[in-house]
């Protein structure tokens, strides 16, 4: 048995970087704020000292160039990880991510690889407001050719970063600052394949299926504890990989419980929660027997004012309330 | 052109009082009032960030007041100006409400953005300030569009964009410069070059420290001045402003070299986004735009020490009163979340 180490989500990301930089000479990282704890929290501490500023590169305020340069280096045999310290700043690079990186393989006949990781950090709350709070995972999960990963645990935070970097196609890896304090015992890092990443059942229950990803998995697990105290046992499914979706486990769970509540930390309209519910609605064996509901942010930009923030961001208590309604309690 | 800021980048240079030259000192008494008021307001905000009363991120411009006020001296309420993350000074210099700013950083319903925006999203359309946004470079093309509208309106107004040296690394900056230049639009680009973007000095981000080199590349009239010398800022824009008002002006690029006294965000002066700062701040404080102007006004007899003291104490009272009032303001009703998204 190998020894495990208690590791936070933030430090687990750093462990993933350290593994990649130590073991894979073609891996390198660039992005804004990599040498600043304010931008990337404790997820990259002193990596530039350990691995050199040539491989851990803090860049000018140039999202388009940095992301495009990642694509060019990836086409040239490197495995770049381009970091955007906020999803909102990454928006400037959407052409490079969506219209260039994601399409390069198919558009040139299937043989050209762009082994690029784009890391977009979800950083919200704290009265930061409309332009410092977006996650937009549903947008990106809409794009053929772009893997989208959302780690919910320290283990996934580390291993998904490794899997993303070793993947031969572009991957959007979205970690969430609201998860950074989560802790878990971790064995030493190893190489991981993205092919092995699929939805996971994080808790077993017979009464209702709670579906989430990233931070909402954390909330779903908290809600499941509260529900258990009220006699409702929740099956908690963590999606982990949003594109391409692998819905089998969700469907198996929904068939078992007959109730599915999808929780997504983004807007409702045309979003991930709707996609998961549509997958159930399309299946003849599920559509008649599974009752569905969803919890999302209200369809409004994030506000700053504290009471409005409280109205905007849902909590485990909101999930409990909605789950009870779905269970007829 | 000179591709180096030379002495403008030297913390120990330009500490002397400001020379008025041909400029009439009298309007600069009001300018000093505006600068002191901005400084006191931002000091008040810094204190309340430190104690946690203010929660939203605040990027303070203490030390950079002359650029905002020197530019605003040329502007009128029918112009349309846009700012960025560090725009309290732009907002106040143009006449935005102090009560509204304070209420906004506290998330109150009477804030200028009604508690939806906080420090990083300020607007006061009635004085020509159409919005500040913290996505770097985002409001530069918007100011170009305001300039396009001004050209179409033929009333002599101008679109204005306030941004930093870091924004010059974004594509939106270069596209905007080209568009304004090729269409000869009345647009004022104000780059406050404080030589830092967050924790990174300009030498780590750009091959040269003069941002105005891009104005040369885009065939645009330009000036690079000591941004802590309000007379230099004001003088650099005199001819361009006259041309805009006459309806004949095209784009102008003003680079105001300055320095921020506090860290990138928040109240601390010893670190930028968690990274320790170089300790030449005390030298930079020797280039204080407020002190230099006050001394110059005293020397030419436009403002006596007694008058200055009276001005400062009146401003301190005004700021304290405004802050106390802001603390009593109501929060928005939760229904505001959805009721402000779409046109009624
Ligand atoms: C598109 C985008 N990228 C990155 C950031 C993070 N950021 C906020 S302010 C800033 C530095 C900007 O420097 P500068 O333009 O010189 O303005 P200053 O802070 O010096 O006033 C950065 C990188 C952002 N807000 N938006
Ligand atoms: Mg700057």
């Amino acid at each position: 048995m190998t020894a495990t180490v208690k590791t936070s989500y933030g430090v687990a990301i750093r462990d993933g970087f350290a593994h990649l930089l130590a073991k894979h000479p073609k891996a390198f990282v660039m992005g804004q704020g990599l040498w600043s704890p304010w931008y990337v929290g404790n997820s990259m501490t002193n990596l530039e000292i350990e691995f050199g500023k040539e491989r851990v590169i803090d860049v000018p305020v140039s999202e388009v160039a940095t992301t495009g340069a990642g694509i060019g280096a990836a086409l040239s045999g490197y495995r770049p990880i381009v970091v955007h310290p906020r999803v909102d700043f990454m928006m400037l690079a959407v052409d490079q991510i969506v219209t260039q990186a994601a399409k390069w393989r198919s558009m040139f006949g299937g043989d050209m690889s762009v082994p690029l990781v784009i890391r977009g950090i979800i950083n919200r709350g704290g009265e930061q407001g409309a332009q410092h709070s977006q996650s937009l995972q549903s947008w990106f999960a809409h794009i053929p050719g772009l893997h989208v990963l959302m780690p919910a645990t320290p283990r996934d935070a580390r291993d998904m970063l490794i899997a993303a970097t070793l993947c031969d196609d572009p991957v959007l890896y979205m970690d969430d600052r609201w998860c950074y304090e989560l802790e878990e015992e971790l064995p030493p890092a190893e190489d991981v394949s993205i092919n092995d990443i699929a939805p996971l059942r994080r808790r077993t229950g017979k009464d209702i299926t709670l579906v989430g990803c990233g931070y909402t998995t954390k909330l779903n697990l908290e809600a499941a504890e509260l529900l258990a105290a009220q006699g409702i046992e929740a099956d908690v499914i963590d999606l982990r990989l949003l594109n391409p979706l692998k819905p089998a486990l969700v469907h198996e769970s929904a068939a078992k419980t007959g109730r599915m509540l999808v929780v997504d930390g983004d807007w409702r309209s045309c979003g991930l929660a709707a996609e998961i519910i549509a997958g159930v609605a399309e299946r003849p064996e599920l559509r008649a027997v599974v009752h569905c509901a969803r919890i999302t942010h209200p369809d409004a930009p994030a506000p700053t004012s504290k009471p409005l923030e409280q109205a905007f961001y849902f909590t485990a208590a909101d999930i409990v309330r909605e789950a009870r309604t779905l269970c007829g309690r | 052109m000179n591709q180096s800021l030379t002495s403008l980048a030297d913390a120990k240079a330009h500490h002397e009082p400001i020379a008025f030259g041909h400029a009439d000192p009298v309007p600069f008494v009001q300018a000093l009032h505006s600068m002191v008021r901005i400084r006191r307001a931002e000091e008040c905000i810094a204190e309340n960030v430190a104690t946690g009363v203010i929660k939203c991120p605040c990027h303070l411009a203490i030390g950079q007041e002359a650029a905002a006020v020197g530019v605003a001296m040329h502007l009128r309420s029918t112009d349309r100006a846009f700012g960025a993350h560090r725009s309290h000074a732009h907002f106040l210099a143009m006449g935005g409400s102090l009560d509204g700013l304070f209420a906004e950083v506290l998330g109150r319903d009477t804030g200028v953005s009604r508690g939806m925006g906080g420090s990083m999203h300020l607007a006061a359309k009635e004085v020509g300030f159409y919005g500040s946004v913290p996505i770097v470079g985002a409001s530069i093309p918007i100011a170009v569009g305001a300039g396009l509208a001004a050209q179409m309106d033929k009333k002599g107004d101008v679109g204005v964009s306030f941004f930093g040296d870091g924004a010059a690394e974004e594509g939106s900056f270069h596209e905007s410069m080209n568009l304004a230049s090729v269409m000869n639009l009345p647009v004022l680009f104000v780059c406050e070059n404080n030589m830092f973007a967050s924790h990174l000095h300009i030498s780590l981000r750009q091959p040269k420290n003069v941002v105005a080199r891009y104005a040369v590349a885009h065939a645009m009239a330009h000036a690079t001045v000591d941004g802590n010398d309000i007379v230099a800022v004001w003088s650099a824009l005199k001819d361009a402003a006259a041309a805009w008002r006459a309806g004949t002006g095209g784009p102008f690029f003003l680079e105001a070299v300055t320095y921020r006294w506090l860290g990138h965000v928040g109240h601390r002066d010893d670190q930028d986004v968690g990274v320790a700062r170089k300790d030449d701040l005390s030298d930079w404080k020797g280039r204080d735009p407020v002190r230099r102007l006050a001394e110059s006004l005293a020397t030419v007899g436009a403002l006596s020490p007694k008058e200055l003291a009276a001005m400062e104490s009146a401003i301190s009272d005004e700021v304290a009163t405004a802050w106390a009032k802001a603390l009593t303001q109501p929060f928005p009703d939760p229904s505001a979340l959805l009721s402000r998204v779409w046109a009624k």
Side-chain angles (χ1 to χ4, degrees):
Chain A
M1 232 195 94
T2 38
T4 61
V5 179
K6 191 170 204 176
T7 310
S8 71
Y9 185 102
V11 171
I13 296 172
R14 191 200 182 278
D15 288 353
F17 278 118
H19 173 84
L20 288 160
L21 291 164
K23 194 163 166 223
H24 296 281
K26 292 288 190 189
F28 72 94
V29 200
M30 62 178 164
Q32 275 171 56
L34 302 199
W35 306 338
S36 144
W38 189 79
Y39 278 104
V40 293
N42 60 354
S43 72
M44 302 194 71
T45 310
N46 290 338
L47 283 173
E48 78 280 10
I49 295 168
E50 195 174 334
F51 296 99
K53 289 188 168 177
E54 312 76 41
R55 291 181 76 206
V56 182
I57 308 167
D58 205 327
V59 298
V61 198
S62 307
E63 290 79 10
V64 181
T66 307
T67 309
I71 299 175
L75 284 167
S76 310
Y78 284 84
R79 292 199 173 257
I81 304 162
V82 171
V83 180
H84 295 288
R86 276 174 196 281
V87 174
D88 308 79
F89 309 161
M90 185 172 83
M91 289 302 110
L92 276 67
V94 165
D95 169 68
Q96 294 295 325
I97 298 168
V98 171
T99 309
Q100 309 307 327
K103 298 185 176 35
W104 211 269
R105 177 182 297 283
S106 156
M107 159 173 101
F108 292 113
D111 294 331
M112 288 243 251
S113 280
V114 180
L116 168 69
V117 181
I118 302 119
R119 175 185 176 204
I121 304 179
I122 302 168
N123 187 346
R124 51 174 43 152
E127 302 195 18
Q128 300 181 92
Q131 301 191 332
H132 281 53
S133 62
Q134 299 178 97
S135 57
L136 295 169
Q137 61 273 18
S138 304
W139 261 33
F140 291 99
H142 186 63
I143 306 303
L146 181 68
H147 291 281
V148 178
L149 294 173
M150 284 183 77
T153 63
R155 173 102 198 211
D156 272 358
R158 181 190 73 184
D159 290 358
M160 284 184 181
L161 184 69
I162 296 171
T165 308
L166 301 181
C167 175
D168 287 335
D169 285 315
V171 180
L172 175 62
Y173 167 100
M174 308 182 90
D175 53 301
D176 192 321
R177 289 290 287 268
W178 278 351
C179 292
Y180 273 42
E181 311 305 322
L182 290 173
E183 287 188 328
E184 189 178 354
E185 290 287 338
L186 295 189
E190 287 173 20
D191 283 358
V192 184
S193 165
I194 199 161
N195 297 327
D196 297 331
I197 295 177
L200 264 183
R201 176 177 279 113
R202 299 254 178 223
R203 187 183 190 286
T204 304
K206 60 178 182 1
D207 299 321
I208 185 169
T209 301
L210 300 180
V211 182
C213 55
Y215 176 69
T216 57
T217 291
K218 172 183 182 284
L219 289 185
N220 282 344
L221 287 167
E222 285 169 26
E225 290 301 315
L226 297 169
L227 286 166
Q230 303 173 28
I232 297 173
E233 293 299 332
D235 221 29
V236 177
I237 309 296
D238 178 11
L239 291 171
R240 302 171 81 220
L241 173 69
L242 306 196
N243 200 27
L245 265 179
K246 297 180 179 173
L249 184 66
V250 171
H251 295 168
E252 180 203 307
S253 171
K256 174 179 78 176
T257 64
R259 299 177 189 100
M260 181 176 77
L261 176 60
V262 189
V263 185
D264 186 31
D266 206 358
W267 292 300
R268 194 177 195 83
S269 199
C270 299
L272 177 71
E275 178 62 32
I276 300 294
I277 292 172
V280 168
E282 277 173 345
R283 297 196 169 245
E285 74 280 14
L286 295 177
R287 73 166 76 107
V289 292
V290 183
H291 293 254
C292 298
R294 52 183 160 151
I295 295 181
T296 64
H297 294 159
D299 281 329
T304 49
S305 187
K306 191 49 84 201
L308 296 188
E309 267 198 338
Q310 279 161 358
F312 187 79
Y313 293 111
F314 51 79
T315 63
D318 297 306
I319 299 171
V320 168
R321 193 176 324 110
E322 197 62 39
R324 286 176 59 97
T325 305
L326 204 53
C327 293
R329 307 256 216 116
Chain B
M1 75 177 298
N2 191 344
Q3 297 260 326
S4 163
L5 290 177
T6 60
S7 71
L8 289 179
D10 177 357
K12 292 196 194 309
H14 304 287
H15 291 195
E16 65 283 356
I18 288 161
F20 287 108
H22 296 298
D24 174 7
V26 173
F28 290 95
V29 174
Q30 186 53 39
L32 180 70
H33 182 278
S34 181
M35 286 164 65
V36 173
R37 187 165 172 269
I38 291 167
R39 180 157 305 174
R40 290 290 107 78
E42 289 216 301
E43 285 167 352
C44 173
I45 290 174
E47 278 168 31
N48 285 282
V49 168
T51 55
V53 173
I54 296 175
K55 299 272 193 293
C56 69
C58 292
H59 303 76
L60 301 174
I62 293 176
Q64 301 188 190
E65 298 87 349
V69 176
V71 170
M73 286 173 80
H74 288 288
L75 301 181
R76 58 191 194 192
S77 62
T78 49
D79 294 328
R80 293 136 199 153
F82 298 84
H85 53 290
R86 195 181 308 286
S87 277
H88 299 168
H90 309 138
F91 169 89
L92 289 174
M94 288 192 66
S97 146
L98 181 62
D99 287 351
L101 170 66
F102 280 174
E104 190 56 40
V105 299
L106 288 166
R108 307 302 169 107
D109 199 37
T110 54
V112 283
S113 302
R114 306 203 59 190
M116 309 307 289
S119 159
M120 303 195 291
H121 310 88
L122 304 172
K125 220 175 148 184
E126 69 284 1
V127 296
F129 195 69
Y130 274 54
S132 58
V133 293
I135 296 299
V136 171
S139 63
I140 304 176
I142 299 173
V144 173
L148 174 61
Q151 191 183 60
M152 291 170 163
D153 285 345
K154 298 190 174 60
K155 290 180 184 154
D157 295 323
V158 61
V160 183
S161 175
F162 290 98
F163 55 91
D165 47 303
E169 290 147 29
E170 296 282 15
S172 64
F173 165 78
H174 298 273
E175 295 183 26
S176 300
M177 294 280 283
N178 181 61
L179 189 64
S181 188
V182 75
M183 296 181 75
N184 197 36
L185 301 176
V187 180
L188 171 58
F189 296 87
V190 182
C191 177
E192 282 168 67
N193 184 353
N194 59 16
M195 287 169 282
F196 276 88
S198 305
H199 56 304
L200 290 187
H201 188 256
I202 193 166
S203 59
L204 296 171
R205 301 178 286 113
Q206 300 186 30
K208 303 282 179 192
N209 62 7
V210 182
V211 180
R213 68 193 190 279
Y214 296 121
V216 177
H218 289 292
M220 194 181 290
H222 61 91
T224 296
V225 301
D226 173 2
N228 288 13
D229 174 341
I230 190 166
V231 177
V233 171
W234 178 83
S235 303
L237 294 178
K238 246 172 48 180
D239 293 348
W244 293 320
R245 301 318 178 199
T248 56
F252 190 87
F253 185 92
L254 177 69
E255 176 173 19
V257 181
T258 183
Y259 205 73
R260 59 169 161 69
W261 290 8
L262 298 183
H264 172 69
V265 60
H267 66 285
R268 289 178 62 164
D269 67 1
D270 59 341
Q271 56 173 16
D272 285 323
V273 290
V275 179
R277 293 180 77 182
K278 279 184 30 200
D279 52 14
D280 58 358
L281 181 59
S282 58
D283 287 330
W284 278 108
K285 286 190 175 176
R287 205 190 280 182
D288 182 355
V290 173
R291 178 194 53 76
R292 287 168 71 203
L293 178 59
E295 282 177 12
S296 302
L297 288 170
T299 307
V300 299
L303 187 73
S304 69
K306 215 172 127 195
E307 287 166 325
L308 174 63
M311 177 194 277
E312 290 188 319
S313 103
I315 290 170
S316 296
D317 288 350
E318 184 198 358
V319 168
T321 306
W323 183 253
K325 182 174 166 197
L327 287 169
T328 67
Q329 298 302 298
F331 286 102
D333 186 84
S335 65
L337 201 52
L338 292 170
S339 67
R340 293 171 181 169
V341 180
W342 307 96
K344 295 271 180 339

